[in-house]
Amino acid sequence: MRHTLPALSALLLVSSLPAVAQEALTGDAIIEKINAREDGEHVKRRFVVELTDRNGRTRTEETIAQRRYFGDEKRTIIFYTDPNNVRGTGFLTFDYADPEADDDQWLYLPALRKVRRISASDRGDYFLGTDFTYEEIKKEQKVETDDYSFTAAGSEIIDGRSLLIVEGVPVNDEVARELGVSKVVWRIDPDLWMSRVTDYYDRNGNHSRTITLEGVETIDGFLTTTQLFVRNHKTGHSTRIQFLDTDYEIEVPENLFTQARLRRGL
Amino acid sequence: MGQASEKFFDILIRWRLAVVICMLGLIAATAISIPKLQKDTSADAFIGEDQPALVYKNHIEEVFGLTDPIVIAVIDKDEDGIFDAENLSLVERLTASVESLPQIDPERVTSLATENYISGNAGGIVIEGFLDQDTEYFISPPGTDERAREVETAIADFPLYQGMLVGREGKATLIVAELLDDDFATDAYNSVLEIVANEAVPSGTEVHVAGEGAVMGYLSTYIDNDASRLNPMAGLIITVVLLVAFMSFRAAILPNLIVAGTVLGSFGLMAATQTSFFVITNGLVVNLIGIAVADSIHIVSAYYTVLRDEPELGKKQAIARAMALMWRPVTLTSVTTAAGFLALSFSSPMPPIQAFGLFGAIGVMLAWIYSVTFLPALLSLWPTRRIPFPFSRRRDGSLRTSLSERLMSGLGGVVLAVPKVIVGFSALLLLVGILGAARLQVEEERIANFKPSEPVYMADKAINSSTDGIYSLDVLVETPSPDGLYSPEILRRIERLQTYMETLPSVGGTTSIVDYVKQLHRSVQEGDPAAYSIPDDPLLVAQLFFLYGASADPADFEEEVDYDFQHTLVRAQISDGRYTTNRDIVPVLEKYVAENFNDDLAKATVTGRVTVSYYWFHGIDRSTIVSVLLSFTAVTLAAMLLFRSVVLGLLAALPVGFAILLVYSVMGWAGVPLGMGTSMFAAIAIGLSIDFAIHALDRIRELVRKGGLSAETLRSLYPETGRALLFNFLAVAGGFGVLTTSDVPPLVQFGSLVAVAVTTAFLASVTLLPALVLLLRPSALFNSNQREDSNAAHATSA
């Protein structure tokens, strides 16, 4: 057995050469690279969410969101600033690294002046009325490797960029049900290691949604999404999120992520 | 004119090959689009596209994404009802199977396995599925009887789901699956049936499949079954009638060609004009078969009589002479029949009936064209001029008399001997008829389109008796600007509307966003029953919905409220689909809504399936009267023009009026209501019935002019014209009689009523009509009109 090692090492060496590398990368390896992207210990930013229904009517919501890692655990606090009727509404989430563990979520309703714990959503449920799922918001364009088996499926040129195609199929029925998908196709820009166009297929195999990366910038040294668009092909809804004033350097104190702070509001 | 018309047919027969080619070309040209014919089995098809009720319903489907669902009911009438482990796991399995069907929108399947319970406790609120794993509120694991009992308790505490998702008695629960597109109804229905058939249903539990989607799917199968059975049967019947009447291959085959040309042409034109093949269109095929053959019967009968009586004439001359004799009555009967169909078409508000009338009229006129051109050309091309048995002379030269001829002659003898008795008896029948017709009721029920033994009928009845009802009545509430529905004032108004709707007959229960608001409000107040109310703060209302959206799928109430919280649907479930019930609900609700939702804060409109059905049928009594009067006036005028006499026109119309009145009377006495199928019969029966009177009166006039008016001269009416009428009647009655074997009850009613009307009209034309002529001695019969030709010269009785 020993004598095969040099051969393997040689192979690995070859595959890390840039030109050939992309051809030889497996689906898992590509996803690995996506998930390796650094996203900062903490961040503060504004979300401007533009929701459009099938009749072309739009509605805009604005929030201020802060996020901080506590080890593997990720905590997020979001306050709504607009529209007026939900102004001051706050949303606090503890995302645990273990995908089996249900996340903890609390909501503060200013009209009620009370914090309410709310039951965890399915990962495939839509996030706060948008066309993004909780999973997508939480993962910030990364992918849970345990959910899918990945296959590299060549490349495709979109808008003059050669993108790597990876297809993912849920590993079992439970995951498929939880996420509400039967297949996901990522088209990954090898310069960014982010998917530019992602297609989702529902459990019956219908093309259900397409997520398009519309803006990306390097802020404070981190590759940062500035605009994301999703179209739900079945409902005709679409959602565009702009991430504004992203700041990785501003202080995001640890004691921000408490129910008491939620109650105090913005 | 007799000479002129005979000359015309002489020329036509000389150019017979050209005529045959032209006519084959016409048949091909009209029939070419047949493969493009589209089926439309939806209930909405019966309503004009611009009908406000339908426009609104479609608008709502657009805003709320609602389509007509297929409803699966799981019913268990034992002690614990559907709340046991077996039944709930059946619901879960059925839901999963149905969600995976390609015709179904998996996100628009509603059942105990998909819906969420909303509850509150000290710490917060819990929104989770009734049958989910890992729940906070439900303690026992899914798949156990303990869990089933927990679900039962939860439902008892959640008014939103009582009555529709689960029957109030707890004996039934529904799985409601929306179609991705109404066009998938047939496939979806069949797939759902297959799923149910392959399920292990616990003993004591029944599973039913119903709903508008199911009905559409079912009707589509009906159409195919009906078409493949009724049409050959009608063809067979007329062929038998022809063979019995003429005992001749010519007379059996050639009219069938006319029939084929007529039917192919009518349906080809239907396809070419993109008119759909509706549920009732099957009736038209059979009608056209019966009608198209009638002209042929009279023409062939005249041809054989000419051949027999004027043996010196060649085949072509005999055909030309027979045509000269028959073109006028054949033309006029065709015009009157077409007038009947057109009257139906113009007076009905329902597109399928409009199409039925229009293409019926087109078919009648096609049959006429083929009968007066194609048929004589084909007859002249037929190699022999043999006179078939019923028309041939015995060796001694005397006329043969067939059974049918003797039968009609015998009838004539009796009628002409006692005309006063005949008229007196008719007057008595008329009186009974008027009394009966006064008892006529209007009623229509869509599910009554199915036989009670059909699964879809039984499903409808089972669901309506164990839940709040399968029919939906909706009120669309609109506010002038987005977020208007957060206003507690509006919500309280909706709450009062619901209370009012629940007082209406057959309304089982109502649902609206107010039910969600109250449940959510109670949940955030630690489940305090006193908080099951509408909050006073609009901001809190908005935030309650935000809360729901944050912890469950915000699409859960997209069927109740639109995106901007500007439009909302208040839905009542109704367990009775009869028109007379809808009539007691829709107008009063519309009045309530007009009084309470008609200001700057909110407007509301009554809509939904029940409203559409109501408007669909609303005014059927008026439109029926209009169509009957229109078609009766049309045929009477046609008869007056034909006979150039008001008196003779009225005489010809008499058997028709008599026939229609008697049918209404039978319906009145027997309690058969005026519905969709039964409202259609009169206009068509009028157009068909007048034919008998026209043929009979035309012949009577000839006889009277030649031999004076006496019982003796009128006797000659019976052997030939009487016999032809008998076979004409048998063909038409047979054709419509076939409809009584249809799988679609309205067609059965339609067919049998037309058959009864035609029978009455035939009998009245050969009994009451000659009897009246004998008693009244109308002078118009004697006035030989100057312009009138003397076709009588060719009259046949030697």
Side-chain angles (χ1 to χ4, degrees):
Chain A
M1 288 301 244
R2 259 176 178 275
H3 64 277
T4 59
L5 264 179
L8 262 177
S9 317
L11 245 169
L12 283 170
L13 235 158
V14 170
S15 68
S16 62
L17 290 170
V20 195
Q22 293 166 13
E23 291 304 315
L25 280 181
T26 63
D28 290 287
I30 296 171
I31 298 298
E32 196 72 26
K33 284 186 175 289
I34 289 183
N35 288 342
R37 178 168 48 85
E38 285 290 329
D39 53 3
E41 186 62 20
H42 52 78
V43 64
K44 180 174 183 175
R45 55 194 166 178
R46 282 202 299 130
F47 289 6
V48 176
V49 183
E50 190 184 270
L51 305 152
T52 305
D53 79 352
R54 77 179 98 200
N55 301 316
R57 288 181 304 183
T58 60
R59 191 172 75 200
T60 308
E61 290 170 356
E62 290 191 32
T63 66
I64 290 178
Q66 298 174 80
R67 188 254 298 146
R68 183 178 184 102
Y69 281 101
F70 289 74
D72 278 349
E73 189 185 320
K74 185 160 84 173
R75 297 183 182 177
T76 312
I77 191 161
I78 300 176
F79 286 107
Y80 277 75
T81 54
D82 200 67
N84 253 332
N85 56 31
V86 293
R87 186 180 163 80
T89 300
F91 188 62
L92 174 66
T93 322
F94 291 1
D95 294 332
Y96 303 110
D98 176 8
E100 289 299 306
D102 274 342
D103 300 338
D104 280 316
Q105 303 177 18
W106 295 267
L107 196 71
Y108 173 70
L109 298 182
L112 197 66
R113 284 173 218 90
K114 279 181 184 166
V115 171
R116 286 287 171 247
R117 213 181 85 81
I118 56 180
S119 48
S121 305
D122 271 347
R123 295 190 290 151
D125 286 347
Y126 293 121
F127 173 79
L128 299 181
T130 69
D131 297 291
F132 292 98
T133 62
Y134 271 91
E135 179 73 2
E136 287 147 14
I137 294 294
K138 170 178 157 183
K139 300 297 290 184
E140 299 185 62
Q141 287 118 276
K142 295 184 181 178
V143 181
E144 183 59 57
T145 44
D146 293 344
D147 285 343
Y148 301 96
S149 38
F150 302 101
T151 324
S155 63
E156 189 179 334
I157 294 185
I158 296 178
D159 294 336
R161 294 189 188 93
S162 177
L163 306 180
L164 300 177
I165 302 173
V166 175
E167 291 186 6
V169 176
V171 287
N172 58 38
D173 272 359
E174 202 194 323
V175 170
R177 196 184 168 100
E178 240 181 75
L179 296 176
V181 299
S182 62
K183 189 175 81 170
V184 183
V185 179
W186 293 271
R187 290 179 193 78
I188 294 136
D189 188 333
D191 294 335
L192 307 173
W193 294 111
M194 289 173 97
S195 179
R196 287 208 176 256
V197 181
T198 313
D199 282 307
Y200 292 81
Y201 295 82
D202 72 12
R203 290 202 294 132
N204 286 350
N206 299 314
H207 188 197
S208 54
R209 289 180 310 131
T210 304
I211 298 182
T212 314
L213 180 66
E214 291 188 329
V216 62
E217 280 173 39
T218 304
I219 298 172
D220 302 332
F222 296 103
L223 202 55
T224 305
T225 303
T226 55
Q227 191 165 311
L228 210 50
F229 178 75
V230 56
R231 177 174 296 284
N232 186 324
H233 303 295
K234 291 201 293 186
T235 60
H237 278 235
S238 62
T239 304
R240 174 170 283 118
I241 301 187
Q242 286 173 275
F243 303 88
L244 305 174
D245 309 334
T246 305
D247 191 336
Y248 294 93
E249 289 173 348
I250 196 168
E251 197 196 349
V252 178
E254 289 194 13
N255 64 10
L256 183 64
F257 303 92
T258 62
Q259 293 183 47
R261 188 64 187 77
L262 194 59
R263 207 173 289 118
R264 247 197 297 155
L266 284 161
Chain B
M1 201 160 144
Q3 275 73 25
S5 56
E6 196 169 328
K7 195 153 225 154
F8 170 82
F9 286 105
D10 267 337
I11 296 167
L12 185 130
I13 289 162
R14 201 173 307 144
W15 292 90
R16 57 197 174 172
L17 274 176
V19 169
V20 167
I21 290 165
C22 280
M23 288 303 126
L24 286 176
L26 182 60
I27 292 173
T30 49
I32 196 150
S33 304
I34 279 192
K36 285 189 276 179
L37 203 55
Q38 295 284 332
K39 272 191 289 186
D40 186 347
T41 56
S42 66
D44 293 346
F46 279 88
I47 305 177
E49 275 176 16
D50 49 354
Q51 262 279 327
L54 187 61
V55 169
Y56 242 92
K57 182 171 165 287
N58 289 339
H59 171 62
I60 278 166
E61 285 176 2
E62 186 65 28
V63 172
F64 297 95
L66 289 169
T67 58
D68 287 320
I70 287 186
V71 178
I72 306 171
V74 174
I75 299 176
D76 187 350
K77 297 199 169 120
D78 71 5
E79 195 74 345
D80 58 7
I82 49 108
F83 293 109
D84 58 45
E86 279 185 318
N87 284 324
L88 292 190
S89 98
L90 174 65
V91 168
E92 203 166 16
R93 292 196 308 273
L94 285 172
T95 303
S97 306
V98 168
E99 279 176 348
S100 68
L101 288 177
Q103 307 90 355
I104 299 290
D105 185 344
E107 275 149 42
R108 297 301 283 265
V109 177
T110 308
S111 77
L112 274 177
T114 67
E115 294 306 279
N116 289 321
Y117 180 60
I118 305 173
S119 66
N121 54 33
I125 74 159
V126 178
I127 300 175
E128 57 194 11
F130 290 102
L131 306 182
D132 281 2
Q133 308 272 354
D134 306 326
T135 45
E136 284 179 44
Y137 177 82
F138 300 104
I139 300 157
S140 314
T144 61
D145 284 342
E146 291 70 36
R147 176 62 164 270
R149 272 188 288 282
E150 283 188 70
V151 171
E152 181 171 18
T153 313
I155 293 282
D157 190 41
F158 200 173
L160 191 57
Y161 293 145
Q162 293 162 16
M164 195 53 208
L165 189 64
V166 177
R168 285 175 198 278
E169 314 271 300
K171 307 293 185 202
T173 183
L174 302 184
I175 300 160
V176 180
E178 286 186 31
L179 301 171
L180 282 169
D181 190 308
D182 286 347
D183 292 345
F184 303 156
T186 313
D187 285 347
Y189 176 63
N190 290 332
S191 307
V192 169
L193 283 187
E194 202 177 316
I195 287 171
V196 171
N198 292 329
E199 256 313 332
V201 177
S203 70
T205 300
E206 300 164 29
V207 179
H208 291 285
V209 183
E212 190 55 35
V215 167
M216 281 191 283
Y218 218 84
L219 281 176
S220 191
T221 316
Y222 262 18
I223 287 188
D224 293 342
N225 288 350
D226 252 19
S228 59
R229 201 167 44 82
L230 296 185
N231 302 336
M233 205 143 108
L236 191 69
I237 284 183
I238 58 150
T239 307
V240 168
V241 169
L242 288 167
L243 279 175
V244 170
F246 298 112
M247 298 191 184
S248 145
F249 277 122
R250 256 169 301 178
I253 292 168
L254 300 184
N256 263 313
L257 289 178
I258 306 296
V259 167
T262 303
V263 172
L264 290 175
S266 311
F267 286 89
L269 290 174
M270 199 181 254
T273 55
Q274 282 160 6
T275 309
S276 296
F277 194 103
F278 302 101
V279 178
I280 58 167
T281 312
N282 260 328
L284 186 59
V285 185
V286 179
N287 287 3
L288 287 178
I289 291 174
I291 290 165
V293 79
D295 291 344
S296 301
I297 287 179
H298 287 283
I299 289 170
V300 172
S301 184
Y303 168 54
Y304 287 147
T305 311
V306 171
L307 278 184
R308 178 188 66 190
D309 295 338
E310 298 173 66
E312 74 286 357
L313 289 180
K315 192 166 66 177
K316 293 181 203 164
Q317 290 160 298
I319 294 167
R321 188 152 298 175
M323 290 309 298
L325 259 175
M326 292 314 298
W327 76 268
R328 227 163 48 109
V330 162
T331 304
L332 275 139
T333 53
S334 296
V335 168
T336 52
T337 306
F341 274 106
L342 283 179
L344 184 69
S345 181
F346 289 131
S347 59
S348 175
M350 303 181 192
I353 297 185
Q354 288 166 2
F356 191 101
L358 180 63
F359 288 93
I362 288 172
V364 168
M365 291 328 287
L366 282 178
W368 170 75
I369 292 173
Y370 297 140
S371 298
V372 298
T373 57
F374 201 29
L375 182 63
L378 289 172
L379 274 177
S380 73
L381 282 171
W382 194 272
T384 68
R385 79 179 286 285
R386 191 187 65 85
I387 301 170
F389 178 76
F391 292 86
S392 63
R393 282 168 197 275
R394 293 208 184 82
R395 237 163 247 183
D396 60 6
S398 66
L399 288 171
R400 264 183 219 284
T401 50
S402 62
L403 177 65
S404 52
E405 216 171 307
R406 283 200 300 275
L407 187 78
M408 292 310 292
S409 297
L411 177 70
V414 174
V415 168
L416 297 171
V418 289
K420 281 184 184 154
V421 175
I422 299 283
V423 173
F425 180 70
S426 303
L428 198 68
L429 264 182
L430 196 69
L431 189 69
V432 176
I434 291 169
L435 290 177
R439 301 165 60 98
L440 197 58
Q441 297 286 321
V442 175
E443 184 66 285
E444 175 66 31
E445 188 180 9
R446 184 156 155 85
I447 196 67
N449 288 347
F450 301 95
K451 291 190 261 185
S453 58
E454 297 289 356
V456 75
Y457 184 95
M458 293 191 285
D460 186 273
K461 296 293 165 191
I463 294 172
N464 280 319
S465 66
S466 53
T467 67
D468 279 357
I470 200 171
Y471 306 110
S472 50
L473 172 66
D474 298 330
V475 177
L476 173 71
V477 177
E478 293 170 274
T479 59
S481 56
D483 298 344
L485 289 166
Y486 295 135
S487 150
E489 155 74 21
I490 303 284
L491 294 177
R492 273 192 275 274
R493 240 194 255 185
I494 291 173
E495 190 179 33
R496 286 195 296 274
L497 170 68
Q498 282 179 268
T499 311
Y500 176 76
M501 286 168 91
E502 282 166 14
T503 65
L504 296 173
S506 295
V507 172
T510 59
T511 50
S512 81
I513 51 162
V514 171
D515 299 304
Y516 279 102
V517 170
K518 292 195 280 193
Q519 189 81 17
L520 284 164
H521 191 212
R522 185 176 65 174
S523 302
V524 294
Q525 303 285 10
E526 284 106 64
D528 175 11
Y532 192 76
S533 62
I534 298 166
D536 293 324
D537 180 359
L539 289 180
L540 181 54
V541 177
Q543 290 166 22
L544 286 175
F545 279 106
F546 183 84
L547 166 71
Y548 188 98
S551 50
D553 187 355
D556 280 356
F557 38 71
E558 76 179 5
E559 290 165 25
E560 281 87 11
V561 65
D562 79 335
Y563 203 56
D564 294 336
F565 275 78
Q566 195 174 353
H567 301 83
T568 189
L569 213 52
V570 182
R571 172 161 282 189
Q573 297 304 137
I574 293 178
S575 55
D576 182 346
R578 283 179 300 173
Y579 168 72
T580 46
T581 307
N582 297 348
R583 198 177 53 185
D584 293 339
I585 302 173
V586 176
V588 290
L589 183 58
E590 283 183 330
K591 186 160 168 283
Y592 178 91
V593 157
E595 283 166 5
N596 293 278
F597 287 88
N598 196 11
D599 54 25
D600 295 342
L601 277 179
K603 299 232 180 312
T605 315
V606 179
T607 174
R609 170 64 57 202
V610 167
T611 308
V612 173
S613 301
Y614 166 73
Y615 278 104
W616 170 56
F617 209 66
H618 177 65
I620 192 85
D621 35 6
R622 191 180 48 84
S623 82
T624 304
I625 291 170
V626 171
S627 87
V628 167
L629 287 181
L630 203 64
S631 106
F632 193 71
T633 311
V635 298
T636 308
L637 283 177
M640 284 175 179
L641 278 176
L642 163 63
F643 294 113
R644 295 194 177 84
S645 153
V646 172
V647 177
L648 292 188
L650 288 177
L651 265 181
L654 187 69
V656 178
F658 198 64
I660 303 303
L661 185 70
L662 276 195
V663 173
Y664 280 134
S665 167
V666 168
M667 287 168 62
W669 290 114
V672 177
L674 189 66
M676 187 191 74
T678 49
S679 72
M680 277 171 54
F681 98 92
I684 288 173
I686 288 170
L688 287 168
S689 302
I690 191 80
D691 295 6
F692 300 106
I694 287 177
H695 278 292
L697 205 57
D698 195 48
R699 187 65 200 280
I700 287 174
R701 188 171 56 168
E702 272 172 41
L703 294 172
V704 169
R705 278 187 193 150
K706 224 168 58 178
L709 179 54
S710 69
E712 200 48 47
T713 43
L714 291 190
R715 216 178 285 279
S716 310
L717 170 70
Y718 290 87
E720 191 214 317
T721 304
R723 183 176 180 280
L725 285 176
L726 174 66
F727 286 108
N728 177 354
F729 154 67
L730 287 177
V732 173
F736 282 85
V738 165
L739 287 180
T740 57
T741 69
S742 164
D743 279 334
V744 185
L747 276 186
V748 174
Q749 293 171 341
F750 171 72
S752 32
L753 292 179
V754 172
V756 170
V758 168
T759 308
T760 314
F762 163 70
L763 288 176
S765 299
V766 294
T767 57
L768 178 60
L769 186 63
L772 271 178
V773 165
L774 209 54
L775 292 178
L776 296 175
R777 310 184 64 81
S779 56
L781 277 182
F782 303 95
N783 300 343
S784 187
N785 195 305
Q786 303 80 342
R787 297 197 292 133
E788 194 65 36
D789 64 302
S790 48
N791 274 342
H794 303 298
T796 44
S797 40

